[in-house]
Amino acid sequence: MCLDLMTKYGTSPWIDRFPKSRVPDYPRQRGPLETDVAIIGAGLTGCATAYAMAAADVRVVLIESERIGRGGAGSGAGWIADDPGVSFADLQKALGLRPARRAWQAWHRAGLDFAALLRRLKISLEPHGSVDVATTAEQTLRLAREQKARREAGLDAPMLKPRAVGAEAGLAAPGIRARDGATIDPYRAALALARAAVQRGAQVFERSPAVRIEFGSRTADIKTEHGTIRANRVVVATGGPTPLFKALRRHFWFRRRYAVLTAPVPADIRRRLGRREAVVRDLGDPAHIVRWVGGERLLVTGADAERQPDRQRDKTLIQRTGQLMYELSTMYPDISGIAPEYGWDAAYARTGDGLPYIGPHRNYPHHLFAFGDSSHSATGGYLASRILLRHHLGEPDAADEVFGFR
């Protein structure tokens, strides 16, 4: 990636600032290996699933084509959200009241359980609620419809007046508060989950891409560059279909989100931006998510767009970084002139209704998938780990059907 004098492009601060001496070095997969479950993809979803399987006494192998946590996990916003990132009103329109409510309740429960797991594993996190804000007249109308839909479904949706949002988040705009949630360093969380999985008996291999998968009546064989893994179950946690699963690409749109971390905001400006405790998300399309990092830097994500060819990626990243800084300054005019320290992007896949597809697909025996999490929160990885474990054990919940392939 290109660099200029002020901004580091193409790498997230989570990865860039992690001490190089503490980066784990897992071996390449070599030779024949047998296991109950083989997981392809060691992002937050793959690492959480490896831990869930190992904690349930399932023999599990986790393989990653590059290095653990350096894809979507290490490029995330580090937000444990209590909703799936798609409006309840839109989800209800697409799926119906009961499935939409089940999806929201499952996501909220997963956020609470994920935070509890991280605390048990002594992984650092900071509790933070969130506020969905309306910054335009059109967004204000949508916010009112959203609150009405949630309340009629029996979901909590307390409305905040502009004065309350101003005190909370420095924005004179109406909003809906969510009291639960947290922020984390997503790269550290992925590494810690992988380490905890190993402690429970999981085997982890890096720089071991799956080059072919063959399945028979009872097992599947994963061919890596230097070996073979025979498994009763293959979990594919790569965020979206890889070239091995081209037939599934029709279910998704392929996009990139962009993120910026600012230089430190001066103390006198920080005091004018509210209590700075809530994660802020507006109702734009695409939405902006804004949170504080270390109490003095602002992180903003947004400017999502269709995935560009790799040859255009550097140029687009620089342009989107400037766009995000401008859009952030329209929300918080006081920060105008503050430079971005980091600008980076992350690829993701999106489904038609905005919910991830988690579970089996009839055309792929012995496979489970976790694709299409476009929520931009870390909650989806944990939710997927629980759904995948239940499918493997043959004990799916009724709510799991909402996240299946449709």
Side-chain angles (χ1 to χ4, degrees), residues 205-221:
F205 301 99
E206 294 181 313
R207 293 161 289 198
S208 302
V211 297
R212 189 169 74 255
I213 301 177
E214 300 171 351
F215 48 84
S217 60
R218 294 188 179 182
T219 60
D221 288 341

Side-chain angles (χ1 to χ4, degrees), residues 333-350:
D334 288 338
I335 66 103
S336 296
I338 294 176
E341 280 195 355
Y342 290 86
W344 70 100
D345 62 2
Y348 69 94
R350 180 182 169 85

Side-chain angles (χ1 to χ4, degrees), residues 51-372:
Y51 174 80
M53 295 285 182
D57 294 325
V58 176
R59 290 186 306 158
V60 61
V61 171
L62 175 64
I63 62 171
E64 166 59 40
S65 62
E66 299 295 338
R67 303 298 300 275
I68 285 179
R70 297 206 170 194
S75 300
W79 177 31
I80 300 176
D82 69 349
D83 69 65
V86 57
S87 84
F88 182 81
D90 289 346
L91 201 57
Q92 181 180 347
K93 183 178 180 180
L95 301 180
L97 174 59
R98 182 175 294 180
R101 184 165 53 206
R102 281 180 170 174
W104 269 64
Q105 290 171 339
W107 206 280
H108 183 246
R109 184 171 61 251
L112 295 174
D113 291 346
F114 189 29
L117 171 63
L118 296 180
R119 291 189 185 97
R120 288 198 302 273
L121 296 178
K122 295 181 170 38
I123 300 172
S124 177
L125 79 162
E126 297 180 1
H128 289 288
S130 62
V131 182
D132 287 346
V133 300
T135 59
T136 67
E138 187 272 335
Q139 289 182 20
T140 300
L141 292 174
R142 286 200 285 123
L143 188 75
R145 289 196 294 268
E146 177 70 5
Q147 187 201 33
K148 182 175 184 290
R150 292 191 205 179
R151 283 189 166 179
E152 289 177 349
L155 301 172
D156 188 38
M159 184 71 82
L160 298 180
K161 294 182 178 180
R163 184 174 179 179
V165 176
E168 181 84 24
L171 289 171
I176 296 176
R177 181 200 297 276
R179 299 186 183 279
D180 298 314
T183 57
I184 59 173
D185 179 326
Y187 180 57
R188 289 176 182 264
L191 295 183
L193 286 166
R195 182 172 62 250
V198 170
Q199 292 170 349
R200 292 274 191 161
Q203 298 183 72
V204 177
F205 301 99
E206 294 181 313
R207 293 161 289 198
S208 302
V211 297
R212 189 169 74 255
I213 301 177
E214 300 171 351
F215 48 84
S217 60
R218 294 188 179 182
T219 60
D221 288 341
I222 302 172
K223 309 291 185 178
T224 66
E225 289 184 340
H226 302 289
T228 302
I229 304 171
R230 173 161 291 181
N232 299 321
R233 181 86 69 181
V234 178
V235 172
V236 186
T238 51
T242 67
L244 295 177
F245 305 98
K246 290 181 180 179
L248 298 181
R249 292 179 63 87
R250 64 186 177 85
H251 292 282
F252 305 93
W253 285 270
F254 297 90
R255 299 174 64 80
R256 286 191 187 275
R257 69 173 182 272
Y258 296 85
V260 169
L261 182 71
T262 71
V265 178
D268 61 326
I269 296 177
R270 296 201 303 268
R271 286 192 289 269
R272 299 199 293 270
L273 300 183
R275 290 189 291 270
R276 309 189 308 280
E277 295 176 354
V279 177
V280 175
R281 177 176 56 193
D282 67 14
L283 272 65
D285 184 20
H288 297 91
I289 299 170
V290 182
R291 57 164 286 208
W292 287 90
V293 176
E296 62 177 10
R297 289 173 169 83
L298 278 166
L299 187 155
V300 57
T301 68
D304 302 32
E306 291 185 9
R307 208 174 294 180
Q308 299 283 339
D310 286 344
R311 68 180 182 276
Q312 299 177 16
R313 188 176 175 187
D314 290 7
K315 180 179 178 181
T316 302
L317 178 55
I318 294 171
Q319 185 270 329
R320 297 285 173 169
T321 296
Q323 176 184 336
L324 274 176
M325 286 301 299
Y326 168 75
E327 292 168 352
L328 183 63
S329 70
T330 64
M331 298 174 70
Y332 295 108
D334 288 338
I335 66 103
S336 296
I338 294 176
E341 280 195 355
Y342 290 86
W344 70 100
D345 62 2
Y348 69 94
R350 180 182 169 85
T351 66
D353 56 36
L355 292 182
Y357 290 165
I358 307 167
H361 190 283
R362 64 181 182 273
N363 294 340
Y364 293 90
H366 319 307
H367 285 63
L368 295 172
F369 300 94
F371 288 162

